[in-house]
Amino acid sequence: GDSVTQTEGLVTLTKGLPVMLNCTYQTTYSPFLFWYVQHLNEAPKLLLKSSTDNKRTEHQGFYATLHKSSSSFHLQKSSVQLSDSALYFCALNSGTYQRFGTGTKLQVVP
Amino acid sequence: AQTIHQWPVAEIKAVGSPLSLGCTIKGKSSPNLYWYWQATGGTLQQLFYSITVGQVESVVQLNLSASRPKDDQFILSTEKLLLSHSGFYLCAWSLDWGTSAETLYFGSGTRLTVL
């Protein structure tokens, strides 16, 4: 069946360092992938989305490229800030159902 | 601009007691509406969805029910709470149900603690 896998539960980084949060998926549909960000005690919000193979999508300093050959949609940022500390969800539109990964908590320290 | 309002913000309830959570969408006609549940620090599990007034589809069985009495209102309820119902309940809306580009817009959520 369709699935989304986020391998890191917690990522702790020092401010200013680059980050990559992993997301891989399995689907029988044409994939449409999303990243949502959820700050503490807030609702999740869309960060970026893509269905175009090998095209970089960017928003608020974060970027991701959908690679259909490897079924991946990793989230990256070149220099993390303290305000980036949050829970990040990768999601896959699977027919009529949006399926979320288990989430990666990003913790940025001074 | 669209707004989504959830109520209450938080609830502390006893096991076995009833529950009713609500969600109202303003600024969009005929939105697709969803209920999601999130355990503390956990993933988002879709519970119900509705694409029109009076029609609600269940995605998972958690001894909860949902209703859509008005175009802009979505209600989540149960007659008897279980400890496992504790968590964060999120209402969401979208416009593109069934399309691959569907984006979800979440409300601020209700934090439920069952004791």
Side-chain angles (χ1 to χ4, degrees):
Chain A
D2 294 0
S3 65
V4 180
T5 301
Q6 294 181 249
T7 52
E8 309 102 349
L10 172 65
V11 173
T12 302
L13 283 173
T14 302
K15 174 186 167 184
L17 291 180
V19 65
M20 184 170 83
L21 306 183
N22 291 314
C23 174
T24 56
Y25 64 90
Q26 283 187 313
T27 183
T28 53
Y29 298 88
S30 183
F32 209 118
L33 275 293
F34 301 74
W35 277 102
Y36 289 84
V37 57
Q38 184 180 25
H39 288 93
L40 190 62
N41 295 323
E42 294 183 8
K45 292 184 291 190
L46 178 68
L47 184 56
L48 46 81
K49 62 183 181 182
S50 179
S51 64
T52 306
D53 198 12
N54 297 318
K55 181 181 176 184
R56 178 164 150 160
T57 300
E58 298 190 41
H59 185 62
Q60 296 181 338
F62 286 91
Y63 59 95
T65 303
L66 178 62
H67 291 296
K68 294 184 180 180
S69 61
S70 57
S71 299
S72 67
F73 190 57
H74 306 319
L75 182 68
Q76 300 182 72
K77 190 175 187 186
S78 58
S79 174
V80 294
Q81 304 303 309
L82 294 175
S83 58
D84 294 328
S85 294
L87 191 54
Y88 291 81
F89 291 102
C90 184
L92 164 72
N93 265 1
S94 181
T96 59
Y97 182 80
Q98 188 153 134
R99 191 180 299 273
F100 286 80
T102 50
T104 297
K105 182 177 180 180
L106 175 63
Q107 189 171 274
V108 182
V109 297
Chain B
Q2 308 83 28
T3 59
I4 175 169
H5 173 61
Q6 280 190 246
W7 72 92
V9 173
E11 281 267 45
I12 299 175
K13 304 278 279 186
V15 170
S17 62
L19 174 76
S20 181
L21 305 180
C23 169
T24 300
I25 317 297
K26 296 298 182 188
K28 275 295 173 198
S29 62
S30 303
N32 307 307
L33 297 176
Y34 306 85
W35 279 110
Y36 278 81
W37 174 78
Q38 183 183 30
T40 302
T43 192
L44 298 160
Q45 172 65 61
Q46 190 179 112
L47 302 176
F48 299 94
Y49 69 88
S50 171
I51 59 174
T52 191
V53 175
Q55 289 186 15
V56 177
E57 299 296 329
S58 172
V59 177
V60 294
Q61 292 297 325
L62 285 180
N63 293 307
L64 295 167
S65 61
S67 64
R68 187 169 178 178
K70 302 178 186 178
D71 186 55
D72 63 352
Q73 195 174 76
F74 207 18
I75 306 295
L76 182 71
S77 60
T78 183
E79 293 186 1
K80 276 190 173 181
L81 279 165
L82 307 172
L83 286 174
S84 56
H85 286 139
S86 292
F88 198 38
Y89 288 84
L90 291 152
C91 181
W93 67 271
S94 76
L95 288 179
D96 308 307
W97 186 84
T99 71
S100 58
E102 181 182 29
T103 297
L104 296 173
Y105 301 94
F106 289 91
S108 53
T110 295
R111 188 160 300 283
L112 174 66
T113 303
V114 182
L115 302 174

